[in-house]
Amino acid sequence: MRFIYSITLFSVFLGAVLWPSLSQATHVRAGEITTRRVSETSLTYEITLTTYYDEVKGKPAANDANFADMCFGDGTTMRVDRVQRRFINRGTSSVNTYVITHTYPGPGAFTISAVISNRNADTKNLPPPQSSDIIKFFVSTTIFINPALGLNSTPRLLNAPLDSGRVGQRFCHNPAAFDPDGDSLAFRLSIPQDIPGETGCRGRNIPAYLDPTRFSRTAENGGTPTFSIDARTGELCWDAPGEEGQFNFAFIVEEWRNGVLIGEVTRDMQIIVVDQPNKRPLIQPLPDLCVVAGTLINQTVTATDPDGNRVFISAFGGVFNVGADNQPLPAGELIPPAYARLVGGGSVTAPLTQPATATFSWQTSCNQIREAPYDVTFKVNDVPGRNITSLVSFQTLRIRIIGPAVQNLTARPTATASGRAIQLNWSSYSCAPRTGRDSTELIIYRKEGCTDYTPGTCETGLPASLGYREIGRVAAGVVTFTDTSALRRGVSYSYRLVAEYPDRSGSLNGGLSVASTQACLELPLLAPVLTQVTVDSTSESRGRITVRWSRPIGLQPGDLGGPYQYRLQRATGLDGTDWTPIATINTDLAPSAPDTLYIDRGLNTTANPYRYRLEFFYTDPATRQLTRLDVTEPASSVRLATTPAQRQISLSWQAITPWSNQNQTHDVYRSRSGPNGPFNLIAQVPVTNPASFTFTDTGEDRVVADGNTSRVLSADSSYCYRVMTRGRYPATDARLAGLGLLTNYSQIQCATPLDTTRPCPPRLGLDSLNCASLTPESLCNQTSFTNNLRWSPTSGPTCDPNVVGYKLYYARYRGNSLGVLASVPSATTSFAHASLTTVAGCYYVTAVSGRGLESRPSNTVCNQACPQFALPNVFTPNGDGKNDVFEALQCPAFVEQVELIVYNRWGAKVYQSVGGSLSWDGRSSEGAELPSGLYYYQVNVRFGVLERNAPPQVYKGWVQILRETVSQR
């Protein structure tokens, strides 16, 4: 720590060497805004504006810069006082800090900004028409406030934003960004900003800004000039400046947590490019490091100078717990504790000669474990001759600190009140720094089978491909765990532990430790195991299942006292737990004793699968009481299900057993004669998919040794099935594997396939009117009409020939949906649609199969009406019963509506009527007799045709009224 002070103090002494002075400089050179939440109970933030002033020509402005106007992003603004002014670069520049505390009303995104008048003059990439000394300086920082983030801080930029470069030589700068909360940082270029008016809270990119490459000729080693920033390390490089002068750039530091952007800081920085012969010094590349917490890091840093000049090596980073000014970071930003220091970087009186080396030393601890790496930025300055500007280079060392593995994990069998168990023990974990809600936890993982695995470099946690699953968690201070979850005798279990660190601001930021070595244990097998649960008969009340088991495996004579006893229990369902005792069998374990089989009767095997387990008891020599030694893993019967489909039946079956039915061949049997058989073997199904045992029967018999029963499945027949499974216990235990192949039958399940085959559509015909051949008298006195339809069946290879009837569909108007008109038997192929007021209408017919399936519609046929309507030109409304009314002549046909409008010879309308027919007696609309004479009419007639909204036909003409008396005639 003391050595860091000496380096920083020397940076003040070296002012003229590090920073050339510009006689034309005036006001603000660079700056940024940072924040830190200071209260756990309110959204209160300490906000700091850091600016760098030109103290040569800008000294009057710097003297007056006692405050800065700031906007807080929530609609409030405030004038903030300067709290510190510190001179650097032999007094040619100063660092000014403005600090204020602000409380936000609630969560959200807030952009904090500050504006200062003005920038210093003669910045080349901020050219006329506005000189840079009348452009306002504007910077901003955006924070995303979420109470769940805790006492979060924005990143700190520990390296000053003032640097020097040389014409024609690649220039690089590193801000030495450090996030005290361990959040991930990313960097991107931006553009310096001002505001469009005198005041405001919203910045804009300076319109006159020019990209630095506009001032470049070529890159240092030839090629196209570039200006870029490394998104990971923040190293900003210009390759290469083409002319001397003063330049300003801007970049943004993004703060990310768990893949979410939670803030960003904009830095506006300035460099001065000189045209001198000095070449920049170089730092040899540094490797990324990954160490287990508690490791002492001693990393050599080597620097050289092409001109042979002496150099200084300095370092920046949060691991030192000091800022660029060598002052301690705020308490909320300390890494607890950080022991990092740089040894041998040079001193005020003794810069380093070639080759220059320094040692970065850091005693890491458990408190520094986090997911994000630590960045340490090393900077080398050369010491050239008098009046020659010192140049710099940077290198970033990335260090990730991970948690150590849990040590000395062991496993041993034990027993609990609930049965078998395995007890794990391990040494007290060395990296458990806290307790309470933020405590580190140990995750216990287990898998069947033991696997050699050595974590790779910097690999934490357990890869999912190893097959471990979490079975428990304990606090880091615990050193034992008892596993009682579904343990099976004769199976080897592998255990590993991984520490998980809490994600808390300012200390640990989550993550997992290196995995422990495995503890592998096989539970001893001293009990019987089930070997068969097979359905012998299928019935709703008389079903039967045979259960078989082995004698106790691994039990040697004299191990336990006899006599012994088996107690068989049953539960309903594949995974039922309603265990009911069904048999007690006493045995002396003699090889000839019939004690390993039981036939369970009176079951509803039609509706239910059943599950069995077996308890084994021995006689305690001390008490002579029966004592339970163990209970077998449960095993269920095989349950078969059927799903009918089009001319086929899909089968699926399952069983939950301690042995594996995978990677075996299962037999499928079918009966075409019902549940009483006979059953033929029709398929042998290789089972490799652990999620599904399935087979689809299309009627084919794939195994013909017992006779070929291949035939297409009929929807008129029922088919019955049963399945025989094959299985084995795992080969990891030779005693279990020696039990051989285990076979079990399912219940019998019957089903009828579907048949969605439809008949072919018939061909339909209709007796239509021939309007052209009709005479006016053809339809006289006809008020009711009949449409005669005839159809003929059709056939095809994909159609069902079993037609039992037809459905006739009708719609009055063309384009309307057709509804069912009539259903007739298959012997009928004609239909008379009678009692119609018009022949207009459309029809189609469908054929219906014996299973009630309709064909597609036939062709659609339509009949059209033949409108007829004629009018006389004289009538005599004199009451003699002859020609008394004006009406249609010659048998009008298919008339639905008639509208009559009558005008006198002067054009006045005298009569109007609407009705189903035409009948005018020569009176006006008011009922007065109209005098003899000539009248004009318009008759609008709507006919009953196919089109629903067909326009009326219009008849126009004249008619004469004659009112002669009877006596006159």
Side-chain angles (χ1 to χ4, degrees):
M1 289 279 195
R2 288 192 300 273
F3 192 79
I4 295 295
Y5 275 93
S6 66
I7 292 176
T8 306
L9 291 173
F10 184 72
S11 69
V12 177
F13 170 80
L14 206 63
V17 177
L18 295 180
W19 310 110
S21 62
L22 290 180
S23 60
Q24 72 270 25
T26 50
H27 305 136
V28 183
R29 301 182 65 185
E32 72 266 351
I33 298 171
T34 55
T35 70
R36 180 169 66 95
R37 184 177 168 188
V38 295
S39 172
E40 290 187 348
T41 59
S42 66
L43 301 179
T44 301
Y45 283 76
E46 180 186 82
I47 301 171
T48 301
L49 167 66
T50 304
T51 57
Y52 296 78
Y53 278 85
D54 185 346
E55 293 285 349
V56 182
K57 288 190 174 181
K59 190 173 185 63
N63 290 337
D64 294 337
N66 295 314
F67 56 83
D69 292 324
M70 296 185 68
C71 303
F72 300 109
D74 59 355
T76 60
T77 61
M78 187 169 291
R79 181 157 287 180
V80 181
D81 292 334
R82 178 167 59 186
V83 298
Q84 186 183 42
R85 179 186 185 189
R86 182 167 51 85
F87 294 94
I88 58 174
N89 302 346
R90 297 185 68 180
T92 62
S93 298
S94 64
V95 182
N96 300 263
T97 53
Y98 304 81
V99 182
I100 191 170
T101 299
H102 183 74
T103 300
Y104 285 89
F110 301 93
T111 297
I112 305 164
S113 60
V115 60
I116 300 175
S117 299
N118 288 327
R119 296 173 179 270
N120 58 345
D122 299 322
T123 301
K124 281 199 167 183
N125 61 335
L126 302 179
Q130 286 187 323
S131 177
S132 60
D133 61 348
I134 61 172
I135 299 176
K136 292 180 175 59
F137 180 85
F138 180 91
V139 288
S140 64
T141 286
T142 299
I143 57 176
F144 297 86
I145 296 180
N146 182 342
L149 296 178
L151 301 181
N152 185 54
S153 299
T154 54
R156 296 292 179 186
L157 309 183
L158 301 179
N159 191 19
L162 305 173
D163 243 327
S164 300
R166 178 197 144 184
V167 172
Q169 186 170 260
R170 186 172 187 262
F171 162 81
C172 290
H173 167 85
N174 195 301
F178 159 66
D179 191 89
D181 310 307
D183 295 317
S184 299
L185 302 182
F187 302 82
R188 72 177 195 271
L189 290 174
S190 185
I191 294 176
Q193 292 194 322
D194 66 355
I195 58 172
E198 290 300 316
T199 60
C201 298
R202 187 181 298 273
R204 66 170 182 179
N205 295 340
I206 296 175
Y209 175 78
L210 297 176
D211 186 275
T213 55
R214 296 277 295 272
F215 301 88
S216 302
R217 300 183 185 95
T218 63
E220 182 178 74
N221 296 321
T224 304
T226 60
F227 181 74
S228 61
I229 192 168
D230 189 309
R232 189 175 72 110
T233 66
E235 186 167 87
L236 181 147
C237 292
W238 180 6
D239 191 0
E243 58 185 74
E244 64 180 347
Q246 174 181 288
F247 300 87
N248 267 71
F249 324 126
F251 60 88
I252 293 173
V253 186
E254 299 174 340
E255 181 184 12
W256 294 80
R257 182 176 299 181
N258 298 326
V260 177
L261 182 68
I262 62 173
E264 52 184 42
V265 175
T266 300
R267 166 174 269 193
D268 193 321
M269 67 169 290
Q270 188 175 92
I271 73 164
I272 296 172
V273 178
V274 296
D275 191 3
Q276 295 177 353
N278 187 30
K279 297 179 181 178
R280 73 178 186 278
L282 301 173
I283 300 179
Q284 290 186 3
L286 297 170
D288 290 349
L289 299 181
C290 184
V291 300
V292 173
T295 301
L296 173 62
I297 298 173
N298 283 305
Q299 176 65 45
T300 300
V301 182
T302 302
T304 58
D305 186 83
D307 302 314
N309 294 324
R310 293 176 299 168
V311 298
F312 295 95
I313 301 173
S314 57
F316 303 94
V319 299
F320 301 108
N321 273 342
V322 294
D325 57 0
N326 204 35
Q327 298 302 307
L329 295 174
E333 300 179 2
L334 297 176
I335 301 175
Y339 300 107
R341 61 196 184 105
L342 186 68
V343 180
S347 66
V348 173
T349 58
L352 302 175
T353 58
Q354 303 290 317
T357 62
T359 300
F360 169 71
S361 181
W362 184 14
Q363 176 59 62
T364 61
S365 74
C366 294
N367 283 318
Q368 293 144 16
I369 296 170
R370 72 181 194 186
E371 282 284 274
Y374 294 91
D375 285 349
V376 181
T377 300
F378 295 95
K379 177 179 178 181
V380 56
N381 295 78
D382 65 358
V383 185
R386 182 180 297 275
N387 297 324
I388 302 297
T389 301
S390 174
L391 300 178
V392 300
S393 287
F394 296 88
Q395 282 285 342
T396 299
L397 175 64
R398 306 205 96 191
I399 305 170
R400 186 178 174 203
I401 300 178
I402 60 176
V406 176
Q407 300 296 317
N408 303 318
L409 175 64
T410 61
R412 65 179 182 86
T414 186
T416 66
S418 59
R420 64 183 73 114
I422 294 178
Q423 182 175 319
L424 305 178
N425 294 284
W426 58 88
S427 298
S428 180
Y429 188 52
S430 60
C431 262
R434 291 189 180 182
T435 59
R437 66 179 179 89
D438 286 337
S439 63
T440 300
E441 288 186 313
L442 302 182
I443 308 173
I444 297 96
Y445 291 94
R446 187 188 78 186
K447 66 172 288 187
E448 291 189 10
C450 298
T451 303
D452 290 332
Y453 161 70
T454 301
T457 302
C458 215
E459 183 177 4
T460 59
L462 281 168
S465 60
L466 292 178
Y468 285 91
R469 66 179 183 86
E470 180 181 332
I471 62 168
R473 289 176 178 245
V474 296
V478 176
V479 295
T480 185
F481 177 81
T482 301
D483 178 18
T484 60
S485 54
L487 296 170
R488 296 186 290 145
R489 296 287 186 184
V491 175
S492 295
Y493 293 97
S494 173
Y495 295 88
R496 292 182 189 267
L497 268 62
V498 173
E500 182 178 58
Y501 308 103
D503 183 4
R504 56 180 179 268
S505 175
S507 181
L508 305 182
N509 289 88
L512 303 173
S513 75
V514 177
S516 72
T517 57
Q518 75 171 339
C520 189
L521 177 70
E522 178 186 351
L523 280 177
L525 185 62
L526 299 176
V529 292
L530 293 175
T531 59
Q532 189 176 56
V533 179
T534 187
V535 180
D536 299 322
S537 64
T538 303
S539 170
E540 293 183 356
S541 59
R542 292 180 287 106
R544 191 176 70 188
I545 291 178
T546 294
V547 184
R548 285 185 171 88
W549 57 90
S550 73
R551 290 191 170 84
I553 296 176
L555 184 63
Q556 302 298 323
D559 285 348
L560 299 170
Y564 306 93
Q565 188 179 86
Y566 300 114
R567 296 180 185 176
L568 186 63
Q569 298 176 333
R570 179 185 67 220
T572 303
L574 287 170
D575 54 0
T577 57
D578 56 334
W579 296 109
T580 302
I582 60 172
T584 298
I585 302 172
N586 295 311
T587 180
D588 57 5
L589 300 182
S592 60
D595 54 5
T596 59
L597 178 146
Y598 181 80
I599 299 176
D600 194 12
R601 295 177 169 84
L603 303 173
N604 183 357
T605 50
T606 299
N608 302 316
Y610 292 93
R611 192 181 192 208
Y612 296 86
R613 71 181 183 185
L614 188 72
E615 294 180 304
F616 179 64
F617 288 77
Y618 70 96
T619 301
D620 188 326
T623 64
R624 303 306 300 169
Q625 298 293 318
L626 283 173
T627 303
R628 191 178 84 161
L629 174 65
D630 212 337
V631 61
T632 65
E633 302 298 327
S636 75
S637 60
V638 181
R639 187 64 182 175
L640 174 63
T642 56
T643 303
Q646 173 67 16
R647 293 293 180 94
Q648 64 186 28
I649 296 174
S650 296
L651 311 180
S652 62
W653 57 97
Q654 58 180 323
I656 302 176
T657 61
W659 59 84
S660 173
N661 292 313
Q662 300 298 326
N663 301 312
Q664 301 292 338
T665 298
H666 297 190
D667 293 347
V668 179
Y669 294 83
R670 178 184 65 209
S671 168
R672 291 180 176 271
S673 304
N676 296 323
F679 281 86
N680 292 85
L681 177 63
I682 62 169
Q684 292 185 303
V685 182
V687 174
T688 57
N689 186 352
S692 171
F693 300 162
T694 59
F695 173 74
T696 298
D697 181 21
T698 61
E700 179 186 3
D701 189 342
R702 303 182 184 181
V703 183
V704 297
D706 59 347
N708 190 345
T709 61
S710 295
R711 274 201 316 277
V712 175
L713 299 184
S714 170
D716 299 322
S717 300
S718 178
Y719 302 88
C720 297
Y721 301 87
R722 70 186 309 199
V723 171
M724 186 191 77
T725 64
R726 292 181 174 89
R728 288 184 183 275
Y729 275 100
T732 52
D733 190 306
R735 296 165 298 178
L736 291 174
L739 295 173
L741 201 61
L742 310 179
T743 60
N744 291 277
Y745 283 94
S746 72
Q747 92 285 7
I748 295 171
Q749 184 74 13
C750 301
T752 300
L754 303 177
D755 190 349
T756 58
T757 304
R758 300 173 181 271
C760 287
R763 185 173 301 279
L764 179 63
L766 173 64
D767 293 342
S768 301
L769 291 177
N770 185 351
C771 296
S773 64
L774 293 178
T775 66
E777 293 78 18
S778 298
L779 302 175
C780 273
N781 302 318
Q782 187 170 343
T783 59
S784 177
F785 301 91
T786 298
N787 282 332
N788 293 305
L789 298 113
R790 295 179 182 85
W791 59 90
S792 58
T794 62
S795 61
T798 61
C799 297
D800 188 349
N802 181 26
V803 176
V804 297
Y806 298 95
K807 284 188 177 181
L808 194 68
Y809 290 78
Y810 165 74
R812 166 63 182 84
Y813 295 102
R814 193 197 309 270
N816 282 14
S817 296
L818 280 69
V820 176
L821 174 64
S823 296
V824 297
S826 59
T828 301
T829 58
S830 63
F831 184 80
H833 189 193
S835 302
L836 298 172
T837 59
T838 178
V839 297
C842 292
Y843 303 85
Y844 69 72
V845 66
T846 63
V848 182
S849 71
R851 281 179 290 279
L853 300 177
E854 286 188 70
S855 71
R856 289 181 291 106
S858 70
N859 57 302
T860 299
V861 296
C862 297
N863 209 356
Q864 181 62 287
C866 300
Q868 291 190 25
F869 197 81
L871 294 168
N873 57 15
V874 64
F875 73 106
T876 58
N878 54 13
D880 62 358
K882 298 176 182 180
N883 200 28
D884 283 336
V885 295
F886 181 53
E887 59 186 359
L889 298 174
Q890 298 177 334
C891 306
F894 307 113
V895 174
E896 289 187 338
Q897 185 186 75
V898 180
E899 179 184 24
L900 172 65
I901 306 173
V902 181
Y903 302 89
N904 62 22
R905 58 185 174 179
W906 295 282
K909 183 168 66 173
V910 295
Y911 180 78
Q912 183 174 4
S913 67
V914 178
S917 61
L918 175 62
S919 180
W920 178 42
D921 61 1
R923 295 177 182 272
S924 69
S925 296
E926 290 77 20
E929 287 187 354
L930 295 173
S932 297
L934 192 67
Y935 292 86
Y936 299 92
Y937 65 81
Q938 177 176 319
V939 179
N940 303 320
V941 184
R942 291 188 181 274
F943 294 97
V945 293
L946 271 175
E947 292 71 28
R948 176 183 287 275
N949 296 313
Q953 291 193 24
V954 179
Y955 299 85
K956 294 183 178 181
W958 57 268
V959 63
Q960 186 168 5
I961 297 178
L962 297 177
R963 293 190 178 276
E964 300 177 19
T965 64
V966 176
S967 59
Q968 289 175 329
R969 292 200 305 270

